[in-house]
Amino acid sequence: MILPPPGIAELTPAGRGAVAVIAVTGPQAATAVAACFRSATGRSLENALPGQMLFGRWQPVKASREATELDAGEEVIVARFPQRIEVHCHGGRAAVQAILASLRQQGGVDQTAAAAMAQDAPNPFAADSLQALSQARTERTAAILLDQHRGALHAALLELGRVLPRSPELALEQLDRLLDQRGAGLHLTTPWQVVLAGAPNVGKSSLINAILGYDRAIVFDQPGTTRDVLTGHTAIDGWPVELADTAGIRWAADDDIEQQGVGRAMARVEQADLLIHVIDATDPAASTAAALTHPHRLTVYNKADLIASDLSNAEAPNDKQRQPIAPGGAGRLVSAKTGAGLPELLATIATMLVPKPPPPGSAVPFLAAHFTVLTEARQLAAAGNGTTAAEQIERLLSGDKNPGD
Ligand SMILES: Nc1nc2c(ncn2[C@@H]2O[C@H](COP(=O)(O)OP(=O)(O)OP(=O)(O)O)[C@@H](O)[C@H]2O)c(=O)[nH]1
Ligand SMILES: [Mg+2]
């Protein structure tokens, strides 16, 4: 039998560090590492037990150009795990490169850190969540992925597979609970797109600056200040968000550049997960950009500091004396200048993005493929075909992400 070559991957991020960790995976990992490693006690790596750590020196068999610097032997710690061996060495680039070079000489093939770590995963969700975890931007999303790494989704799908053929109603309930997490699940590593749009001069740029906490966009008292789409990353209630500020929407734009800005703004709105339609609270009727439509829209009345209003409940001004303000009339009243109403606005945005946040420890599907399979399974289950639905879930559990092929 031909054994696959050992996989090698640097687990520590690129750049300078005190210590670096290199993973070597596959059935030939111990042989490849043992060829270069001399333990201080003389104990052999091949006989080391999983979990055991050996201290010693790294001495490449043949001196490659990079390896010459290590001829005296780099001090390393080698740790043996069931599915991989880790070499912990000095974090300098020269040491890392030399060790990687000598492992390549032993037939090692480069792999990604995620692929190296996935070897230890007890199920496909543990491996995929680990890979996603490295791209999580907030503690909240990392915690959800960690729950999946620890088995929440795996356990929920095992249970679903058992329930589907026997109790269709219960299975549909469980499927709906998983499918309800679609929004949150698909935005654990990819930020939500939230776009601020509206008529010129209503304070969109002021608002994005107030939310981001720094002056990302130029604010000026002339309409048409923002010409292009400007974005900034932030987290709202722990959900990763890419906020976009856009050019004020008006059709009689002064020049071609402004007109192009309006076109870009409209295109951005179309792709948004949530549109924040900003209106000037001092003159809502004149500053409503009627062309702005979106299935997920929040109306925000800005410049609250300029109107005499009780901000205590931070609701929109909808007293009868004013012009009818916007379709629906509901919205939030804020002041980008004073910050009044901003915490409530952020809370509203978070609730609109994720109406039902997953409770700690609960199962959350997190790949598009998970939702595709679960949606198919739900259709089958709803049509009374619980056994076929259970087969789809089985395939997902076995790591096959393309059921139906
Ligand atoms: N008093 C008060 N003035 C504000 C507030 N928000 C914005 N402004 C002022 O309104 C003017 C326009 O603000 P911007 O943030 O540039 O408005 P914009 O919607 O980005 O404008 P365009 O980019 O031209 O579409 C500036 O003079 C701001 O200082 C607010 O909450 N209160
Ligand atoms: Mg602007």
Side-chain angles (χ1 to χ4, degrees):
M1 191 175 77
I2 300 171
L3 294 172
I8 52 176
E10 192 180 348
L11 298 186
T12 33
R16 288 151 66 95
V19 173
V21 179
I22 293 164
V24 190
T25 61
Q28 302 202 77
T31 316
V33 173
C36 307
F37 174 67
R38 309 278 163 267
S39 88
T41 58
R43 198 180 305 155
S44 116
L45 173 65
E46 274 123 326
N47 296 331
L49 297 170
Q52 213 163 9
M53 293 186 135
L54 302 177
F55 171 71
R57 285 182 181 276
W58 192 265
Q59 282 169 323
V61 189
K62 274 184 283 176
S64 65
R65 199 159 56 81
E66 290 102 319
T68 49
E69 289 176 34
L70 295 187
D71 283 351
E74 168 81 8
E75 284 190 340
V76 295
I77 288 172
V78 169
R80 179 150 207 177
F81 293 94
Q83 303 295 333
R84 69 177 185 276
I85 290 178
E86 286 181 3
V87 181
H88 298 223
C89 63
H90 184 271
R93 297 317 298 161
V96 173
Q97 291 308 329
I99 290 174
L100 288 172
S102 52
L103 284 167
R104 285 186 199 110
Q105 273 189 347
Q106 295 302 313
V109 173
D110 290 283
Q111 63 179 172
T112 62
M117 294 303 290
Q119 312 259 337
D120 272 347
N123 60 65
F125 310 103
D128 290 337
S129 56
L130 196 62
Q131 187 149 5
L133 200 49
S134 67
Q135 290 154 41
R137 290 163 186 257
T138 70
E139 259 181 62
R140 187 171 199 174
T141 53
I144 293 170
L145 285 165
L146 207 52
D147 285 338
Q148 313 321 309
H149 182 65
R150 290 177 180 142
L153 181 57
H154 185 243
L157 293 180
L158 281 176
E159 166 72 3
L160 187 58
R162 276 191 294 269
V163 169
L164 263 170
R166 289 183 219 151
S167 172
E169 282 192 6
L170 184 58
L172 282 176
E173 240 171 64
Q174 294 181 357
L175 276 162
D176 285 339
R177 217 174 304 137
L178 292 170
L179 287 168
D180 267 352
Q181 297 300 339
R182 185 182 186 92
L186 292 180
H187 290 95
L188 295 174
T189 56
T190 311
W192 297 87
Q193 300 293 320
V194 175
V195 176
L196 294 164
N201 219 41
V202 295
K204 301 175 296 298
S205 299
S206 305
L207 203 51
I208 198 175
N209 289 346
I211 295 174
L212 293 176
Y214 65 95
D215 287 344
R216 173 71 183 89
I218 296 173
V219 167
F220 196 56
D221 64 359
Q222 293 298 312
T225 302
T226 307
R227 299 298 179 99
D228 211 338
V229 177
L230 287 178
T231 59
H233 283 273
T234 188
I236 297 180
D237 203 17
W239 305 118
V241 166
E242 185 176 22
L243 268 181
D245 176 26
T246 58
I249 309 282
R250 64 170 169 178
W251 302 114
D254 285 345
D255 55 49
D256 191 41
I257 299 178
E258 189 182 349
Q259 197 53 55
Q260 280 191 42
V262 172
R264 286 186 189 192
M266 296 302 280
R268 194 75 184 200
V269 167
E270 229 167 83
Q271 295 161 10
D273 295 308
L274 175 66
L275 161 67
I276 298 186
H277 180 187
V278 187
I279 292 174
D280 186 334
T282 64
D283 194 359
S287 65
T288 297
L292 280 177
T293 55
H294 195 278
H296 299 284
R297 182 170 96 154
L298 172 63
T299 307
V300 171
Y301 299 89
N302 185 36
K303 309 195 187 180
D305 55 293
L306 296 180
I307 57 167
S309 164
D310 175 13
L311 259 184
S312 58
N313 66 1
E315 285 301 329
N318 53 5
D319 59 50
K320 299 278 186 317
Q321 286 78 15
R322 285 186 181 282
Q323 297 281 326
I325 32 189
R332 304 241 52 117
L333 181 61
V334 303
S335 167
K337 189 175 174 186
T338 67
L342 276 186
E344 294 83 357
L345 169 61
L346 295 177
T348 306
I349 293 174
T351 312
M352 287 186 80
L353 293 178
V354 188
K356 289 191 231 170
S362 64
V364 178
F366 54 92
L367 296 179
H370 297 162
F371 288 100
T372 308
V373 177
L374 289 168
T375 307
E376 276 172 31
R378 199 204 179 282
Q379 281 163 1
L380 288 163
N385 212 339
T387 311
T388 319
E391 282 163 16
Q392 300 279 64
I393 301 297
E394 279 308 318
R395 290 179 66 177
L396 201 53
L397 280 162
S398 70
D400 179 355
K401 294 188 196 108
N402 303 302
D405 287 358

